[in-house]
Amino acid sequence: MQKIKSLMARQGVKSPQESMTDLSPVENFRIPSKEELREMREQPVDPQAEQEIINSIEEVYFSGDSFDMVRHELEKLPPELNLQELEEYRDKLKRQQAAVSKKVADLILEKQPSYVKELERVTSLQTNLQLAAVICTNARRQLSLAKEGFTEASLGLLANQRRRQLLTGLLKSLRTIKTLQRTDVRLSEMLEEEDYPGAIQLCLECQKAASTFKHYSCISELNSKLQDTLEQIEEQLDVALSKTCKHFDVTHYTKVQLAYTLLGKTQTAMDQLHMHFTQAIHNTVFQVVLGYVELCAGNADTKFQKMQYKDLCTHITPDSYIPCLTDLCKALWEVMLSYHRTMQWHEEHDNKEAAPAPDGNDTAGSDESNRSYVKKKLEHGLTRIWQDVQLKVKAYLLGTDMSNFKYDDFIFVLDIISRLMQVGEEFCGSKSEVLQESVKKQSVNYFKNYHRTRLEELRMFLENETWELCPVKSNFNIAQLHEFKFMGQSRSPSVSPSRQASAANVTDTSLFQQYYQGGNPFEMQIDNKEDEAEDVLASNGYESDELEKNVYQDYDSDSDVPEELKRDYVDEQTGDVPVKSVSRETLRSRKKSDYCLNKVNAPILTNTTLNVIRLVGKYMQMMNILKPIAFDVIHCMSQLFDYYLYAVYTFFGRNDMYESSGLGLISSRLRTTLNRIQESLIDMEAAGENAASHGPSEERKEKVPSPHLSQLVVLTASGTLYGLAERVVATESLAFLAEQFEFLQPHLDTMMPAAKKPFLQQFYSQTVSTASELRKPIYWIVAAKAIDYEQMLLLMAGVKWDIKEIMSQHNVYVDVLLKEFEQFNKRLGDVSRHVRIPLPVSNVLWEHCIRLANRTLVEGYANVKKCSNEGRALMQLDFQQFLMKLEKLTDIRPIPDKEFVETYIKAYYLTENDMEQFIKNHREYSMKQLTNLVNVCLGSHINKKARQKLLAAIDDIDRPKR
């Protein structure tokens, strides 16, 4: 078939018949003749039969084009030929050939349209190829003409121009290289001018240029040199950055930050900055302390520079402690101010950069990331830097034992640290726990030592106190003492008194704003004592009306004196809370009962009292600055009061006759208080023989020996009413001290920690409030000795009571007793010439004397062996006469123990049953008095049997007491 197609291609398109006739006989099959074709067409067509004929053809005929069918058939002939067989075989081959020819003809006819179409495409392609060949030929001819006429001449010109451009570029490169070689000089000049951004910019540009010309051999060495120069610039830049830690300069810091931005190391710069601040704090404090240590050490060979800071702090002398601390805080303030201004610079810089909205490119995102990092780093650094400052100051504070410092010096130290804590709170909102703990530790140590010394001083004061009146002005109050000036000043505890005036003007601004442009919050001077001059002492004990008027004008106009203080001292005569108004009747009675020579009722206090009040003021100043040790301070304040109260009781009130008097002079509360003070505060072993041989134990260190009354104070002379003046001064000064404590209670309550407030409440309810109760036992001793009660008993014993008729005249003992009272009244007046006797004191004295007199009367009546009804009437007459005369001498109403006497006299008339009930109900009478009552009644209206029964009832009452 392939041969047929190739043959047809060579001869052109012909009809199938023509094509067949053109086939040469050498081909592999013979073309049938027309007759044969006709026969074939005439033969019936049976496709199946035709297919079977084709299938019967040997396979070898389909093997390939090189197959020689004639030879193959000839080779198949047998040795002996048979014509008939040959013809039969020939006919078979003809049939096969005819079937194949017919099949081929059918296929050719079937594919002829496609064949014709394909031949047309081939013809068209052949035509196009011939046209392309013509075009190519023409183009080559034209190119040959152009080459000869144009290209060879023009390209020569272009080559020369290119060479010229190359040489120009080379010249420019050589000039640039020359400039790069001279860059070092300019970089050095810029670094000396501290133009770090310009130097870095120039260096980076040179590096970029060097990178461009790196193909030149001379540039490789220059590039390495530029890299070294850039590293050198970074080192100098780091040094410049460290300078901002102590003295922040906006221009300088702006240059440094711009330089780091050009280097692309903003975050690294921030890390370095914090490291420099930490180093600056360490170096600053070390140099300050080292300077003072070397200055104080003189020519000592000790190598202080090699010491650790903590060890160096222990070599500070007490004299240089405060100046060194002040300089230390000043230096640390400069560092913190620099950090504060650094943060402020970044905030302003960030606001300026954030104002123009970025387009969202990568650079803007990187800048935002850097700003966020810097902001977080700076905020975190606040706490770290303040922590470093606290630790350095803590090491300094704890390096010296301040327990022996002067009070004013220690307060000044506290003031400085308090100001530093205020700086810390404004710097990073810190409560400065490290500083507070250090200050608390030193303060407790100092305060315990200070308080122990003050207690010893107080004992010395008390033992040398002559209990004479300290002449103060009539309107004296504690606000006039400079120790209490801080209470009238509305200032933060952290502001020193010396800077109060300036602090008042800047209450609304922080320290960093106040000292932004200059100055230092630690440039404080110790308080000027001239500003605290006091005018509390009177020119003499008794002020004239004019002087008093001037004094009132001076102090009443003082706005620093609280209104409650003015009101608190209007009435000094009473120990109770002052009333708002005083009636005329009371004033009239005071003219009689208040023993004083002048109208000005000045407070009664001693030098020791004034000293205690000043100590309380100092303690409160310390507490005001050091709230963490408020409880310790208040506890020590309570000990001052306790010791004063115990001393007054020991000197003037201790007496073994209290219980036997039956008057209940010491209440259970007062007795409990005195026992508590003795157990917790008084060192009872100090006076013992072994006290000197054995060192004081830790428990005894907190105690004070019991004070002894000065030998100059005489309490046994009847002419002075047994030291009544001293007793009045001592007792009323204690009451005055209690009033001051009462006034200070609200202030102390605000300072006391919530957990410790019950202690304060207990101190006031069980100790301070009992001060006025000491009047009873102290003045009882005077009352017991001022009147001769024994003489009255002797006079009563000589009276005959078993009379038969009613008497109209009272007995002589009543007149003698009244004369004793008149003498007592006169002596009270004499004492009041030296010391004003307030109304409560005179009332207590009169009450004690009257009670003792009444009880002496009952005792005298109980000594009667025989008595009639008329005798009892005489007793009543005597007692009524005594009351009538006594009421003219005193304003006390009702007369104390009046019922005690009247009830005893009237009990004589009771029946047996009533007497038994009387014995059970009236325990205030002694067994002797009740027994005498029963015995005297025997025979009058009580028989012997009833007497035995009543005596048995008295014995039953007495048995539990044994």
Side-chain angles (χ1 to χ4, degrees), residues 911-922:
T911 61
E912 176 188 340
N913 294 333
D914 292 337
M915 180 65 78
E916 185 176 359
Q917 191 64 34
F918 177 87
I919 291 170
K920 291 179 180 179
N921 294 339
H922 291 273

Side-chain angles (χ1 to χ4, degrees), residues 247-251 333-334 336-348 426 506 509-521:
H247 303 288
F248 184 86
D249 181 75
V250 175
T251 307
W333 162 260
E334 294 295 338
M336 287 187 285
L337 179 62
S338 295
Y339 193 87
H340 179 79
R341 296 184 68 182
T342 301
M343 288 193 68
Q344 202 169 34
W345 184 93
H346 279 281
E347 287 178 8
E348 294 173 357
E426 293 180 7
V506 290
T509 58
S510 70
L511 292 173
F512 288 97
Q513 293 172 330
Q514 181 183 350
Y515 298 98
Y516 186 82
Q517 298 299 331
N520 198 298

Side-chain angles (χ1 to χ4, degrees), residues 461-470 605-609 644 647-648 651-652 708-710 713 715 725-731 733-734 835:
F461 268 100
L462 290 169
E463 290 182 347
N464 290 280
E465 178 63 67
T466 56
W467 301 103
E468 293 181 357
L469 192 64
C470 178
L605 67 156
T606 65
N607 287 326
T608 305
T609 318
Y644 194 92
V648 171
F651 293 167
F652 303 104
H708 303 288
L709 183 64
S710 171
V713 180
L715 302 179
E726 289 82 356
R727 294 177 190 273
V728 169
V729 171
T731 311
S733 65
L734 175 64
V835 177

Side-chain angles (χ1 to χ4, degrees), residues 712-726:
L712 298 176
V713 180
V714 180
L715 302 179
T716 55
S718 60
T720 61
L721 269 180
Y722 306 95
L724 177 61
E726 289 82 356

Side-chain angles (χ1 to χ4, degrees), residues 568-635:
D568 202 25
Y569 298 100
V570 169
D571 184 11
E572 271 299 329
Q573 312 172 115
T574 65
D576 302 323
V577 178
V579 293
K580 292 184 179 178
S581 60
V582 184
S583 65
R584 291 184 180 179
E585 227 175 82
T586 309
L587 288 174
R588 194 180 301 114
S589 67
R590 284 181 187 171
K591 290 177 183 177
K592 298 178 182 178
S593 302
D594 197 0
Y595 295 86
C596 58
L597 298 182
N598 61 322
K599 292 183 286 184
V600 180
N601 295 330
I604 296 177
L605 67 156
T606 65
N607 287 326
T608 305
T609 318
L610 206 56
N611 180 59
V612 172
I613 292 173
R614 289 185 187 278
L615 274 182
V616 169
K618 289 182 177 181
Y619 282 22
M620 289 182 67
Q621 281 184 30
M622 193 176 297
M623 178 177 61
N624 204 33
I625 297 175
L626 278 176
K627 293 181 177 62
I629 66 164
F631 171 71
D632 301 274
V633 177
I634 293 176
H635 177 68

Side-chain angles (χ1 to χ4, degrees), residues 6-42:
S6 62
L7 184 61
M8 289 173 65
R10 285 197 302 269
Q11 296 181 355
V13 181
K14 299 180 180 181
S15 65
Q17 289 82 1
E18 292 173 341
S19 301
M20 290 178 185
T21 56
D22 290 339
L23 292 174
S24 65
V26 295
E27 297 297 328
N28 290 331
F29 59 89
R30 185 178 62 86
I31 303 301
S33 61
K34 293 181 180 179
E35 289 81 4
E36 289 174 344
L37 288 173
R38 187 173 56 251
E39 288 177 2
M40 286 189 297
R41 286 194 298 270
E42 290 176 356

